[in-house]
Amino acid sequence: MKIATWNVNSVKARLPNVLAWLKDATPDVVLLQETKTLDDAFPRVEFEDIGYNLALHGQKTYNGVAILSKHPIDDVSRGLPGDPEDQEARYVEAFTGGMRVASVYVPNGQEIGSDKFAYKLKFLGRLARHTEALLRQEEPMVIGGDYNVAPFDIDVYDPAAWEGQVLCHPDERAALRRLLHLGLTDAYRAKHPTAHRWSWWDYRAGAWPKDHGLRIDHLLLSPQAADRLKGADIDRAPRGAEKASDHTPVWCEIAL
DNA sequence: ATGGTCGCGCTGCGA
């Protein structure tokens, strides 16, 4: 099972890029974030034509997450438990191909001390509580997505410049670690313990040509998935394409 | 350099 996560920054604007990558990389399951479209307007047929089933949780203009799978998709649930007031489409979960999978788009947080940063920390706390419940099922599981947190300085091109900034702040790193400490494995880091590789490069200031990136997109595995982890990598090629997303796909291979 | 560039959708917001 090859499982990928990709923040596409609008599935409609990115459709040719995403279809080209799927044909090339042939993942079994793809977790998308920032689809930025209502489910009715999602380009379903284009994905179904190349063999993917879909589970969508969309929203107009902002956010939006999706699961694509070459296997039948069952048991879909939309929205992260823990806050009935939360209307943002940032979490979808399902069972497919013998695994539990979830696509998550953690809030960016915008600015330290802002309401949005508080929402980010609360969201990560809710994700940890929900993950705790999921882990009790003792299934192979992948919770993948744009976590908007670079876990350690090794995940940042210039740690000194980013110290204390959003995506690197100690409070959000601690919140991400509380999630990891439940027993999840960061698939890319497990396979590349010392690599300095990024999954996101800002559109601004020539970050991509200068390789000024951060690793903020992660595939987090339950023990039952981690025990079967065969490989993981970041595919940088899509970031260099015409009309690229500011994120690039991260994938892992699990031998079920 | 206190900016830069995208996407959405029509004005500025979110990232």
Side-chain angles (χ1 to χ4, degrees):
Chain A
M1 282 277 289
K2 185 174 180 179
I3 298 152
T5 182
W6 193 4
N7 179 326
V8 291
N9 186 20
S10 171
V11 71
K12 284 184 279 193
R14 216 64 60 211
L15 191 57
N17 307 50
V18 178
L19 293 174
W21 188 75
L22 293 180
K23 286 171 189 164
D24 187 49
T26 64
D28 297 280
V29 177
V30 188
L31 311 169
L32 300 178
Q33 301 86 38
E34 280 207 271
T35 53
K36 294 189 174 180
T37 186
L38 289 168
D39 296 350
D40 289 346
F42 197 98
R44 265 186 176 278
V45 176
E46 288 84 342
F47 291 105
E48 288 169 348
D49 280 352
I50 58 168
Y52 288 95
N53 300 298
L54 291 83
L56 307 177
H57 184 38
Q59 183 183 331
K60 193 176 173 167
T61 310
Y62 301 115
N63 311 314
V65 284
I67 297 168
L68 317 182
S69 178
K70 290 188 171 177
H71 302 272
I73 300 178
D74 300 303
D75 214 7
V76 178
S77 68
R78 298 171 179 84
L80 184 63
D83 181 2
E85 305 292 295
D86 187 358
Q87 296 302 307
E88 300 192 13
R90 296 179 174 277
Y91 184 88
V92 61
E93 175 191 311
F95 195 83
T96 187
M99 303 195 69
R100 181 88 39 197
V101 298
S103 177
V104 60
Y105 177 43
V106 174
N108 171 281
Q110 200 159 64
E111 193 181 326
I112 307 299
S114 66
D115 290 349
K116 289 188 168 66
F117 193 72
Y119 171 53
K120 180 181 197 173
L121 296 180
K122 194 167 168 230
F123 187 95
L124 285 165
R126 286 163 58 200
L127 185 58
R129 279 197 295 283
H130 183 56
T131 299
E132 221 177 329
L134 291 174
L135 283 169
R136 278 186 225 119
Q137 303 303 310
E138 302 191 6
E139 298 168 324
M141 172 172 76
V142 178
I143 303 174
D146 176 1
Y147 285 79
N148 267 314
V149 181
F152 299 96
D153 280 353
I154 188 179
D155 301 304
V156 184
Y157 78 94
D158 184 351
W162 280 82
E163 190 180 359
Q165 305 289 314
V166 171
L167 312 185
C168 298
H169 191 274
D171 292 350
E172 58 194 302
R173 285 181 165 175
L176 181 63
R177 274 200 296 278
R178 281 193 286 276
L179 182 62
L180 291 165
H181 289 164
L182 297 172
L184 298 176
T185 296
D186 175 341
Y188 179 80
R189 188 54 75 207
K191 287 294 175 188
H192 307 273
T194 61
H196 291 74
R197 296 299 286 270
W198 329 126
S199 66
W200 168 80
W201 299 256
D202 201 313
Y203 282 125
R204 299 167 292 183
W208 166 249
K210 290 187 274 194
D211 198 24
H212 287 181
L214 282 75
R215 195 176 68 91
I216 58 176
D217 300 88
H218 311 299
L219 293 162
L220 304 187
L221 313 187
S222 70
Q224 294 75 16
D227 286 349
R228 298 166 172 81
L229 177 63
K230 296 302 168 199
D233 218 332
I234 301 172
D235 188 349
R236 292 163 59 94
R239 184 63 179 84
E242 284 300 306
K243 287 210 53 161
S245 170
D246 47 350
H247 297 251
T248 212
V250 181
W251 61 267
C252 71
E253 180 98 42
I254 293 163
L256 286 187

